[in-house]
Amino acid sequence: MSEAKKLINELLVDIFNRILAIEGEELKKSGVTLSMNEVHVLEAVQLVEEPSMSLIAQKLGITVGSLTTAVNTLYQKGYVTRYRLPEDRRKVLIKLEDNALEVLKVHQIYHDKMIDAIFEDLKVNEDEVLINSLSKVASYFRKQ
């Protein structure tokens, strides 16, 4: 592996791990007791057009079985409910409870602060090369 590839790998891993760690700490400071995985499941439920198990799992890039485990935990903790539509009883949909929406507000505030800091400290809005590169990296990972 070339030195450039090693460096890119190290940077991506470091950025990913630091974001998750800082995000987790910020949420704990705000009183959120859920794991980052659980918060990301809530976020996926909010973001999909129809919150079916299959679409949520697809959004997260995990199996429906893995999602079922996470949803069971979130259900037991009172953050989600499951329901079925009368016209198609086979499909299980997930609904966020009010406390889940509060967690997602705190989560969004963290993300807003993080992005604001990046723009302020790094003057990212002036760096089209960085924005284009990050767009390509994000696109690559979406395809995986």
Side-chain angles (χ1 to χ4, degrees):
M1 183 183 289
S2 73
E3 287 302 313
K5 286 182 180 180
K6 284 182 187 176
L7 179 58
I8 290 170
N9 180 62
E10 289 173 15
L11 290 170
L12 286 174
V13 169
D14 185 53
I15 290 167
F16 176 78
N17 289 334
R18 287 180 189 273
I19 288 173
L20 282 180
I22 294 167
E23 188 175 33
E25 287 303 313
E26 288 297 316
L27 290 175
K28 281 181 189 174
K29 286 179 194 175
S30 299
V32 175
T33 58
L34 298 177
S35 72
M36 286 313 308
N37 285 340
E38 291 169 330
V39 172
H40 289 146
V41 169
L42 296 177
E43 184 178 44
V45 171
Q46 186 179 49
L47 293 175
V48 295
E49 194 169 312
E50 178 188 62
S52 68
M53 293 292 285
S54 57
L55 290 177
I56 297 165
Q58 182 181 358
K59 175 79 175 165
L60 291 166
I62 61 175
T63 66
V64 173
S66 294
L67 178 62
T68 298
T69 302
V71 167
N72 286 344
T73 301
L74 289 166
Y75 175 78
Q76 290 170 355
K77 292 180 178 183
Y79 286 90
V80 299
T81 55
R82 296 181 190 99
Y83 66 98
R84 296 175 191 270
L85 296 175
E87 61 270 11
D88 187 355
R89 304 284 306 150
R90 298 168 297 162
K91 191 181 291 187
V92 176
L93 301 174
I94 306 302
K95 179 184 179 292
L96 297 174
E97 295 295 337
D98 289 342
N99 55 350
L101 296 173
E102 289 301 316
V103 167
L104 290 171
K105 283 181 191 173
V106 170
H107 186 240
Q108 187 59 50
I109 289 168
Y110 164 75
H111 277 267
D112 292 345
K113 286 180 183 177
M114 178 179 63
I115 297 304
D116 288 346
I118 289 171
F119 270 81
E120 183 179 312
D121 295 347
L122 301 179
K123 308 218 182 331
V124 171
N125 55 337
E126 298 172 6
D127 194 342
E128 289 185 35
V129 173
L130 176 60
I131 292 170
N132 288 334
S133 296
L134 288 173
S135 294
K136 288 178 183 177
V137 170
S139 177
Y140 170 79
F141 283 112
R142 273 192 221 86
K143 294 176 187 172
Q144 297 306 308

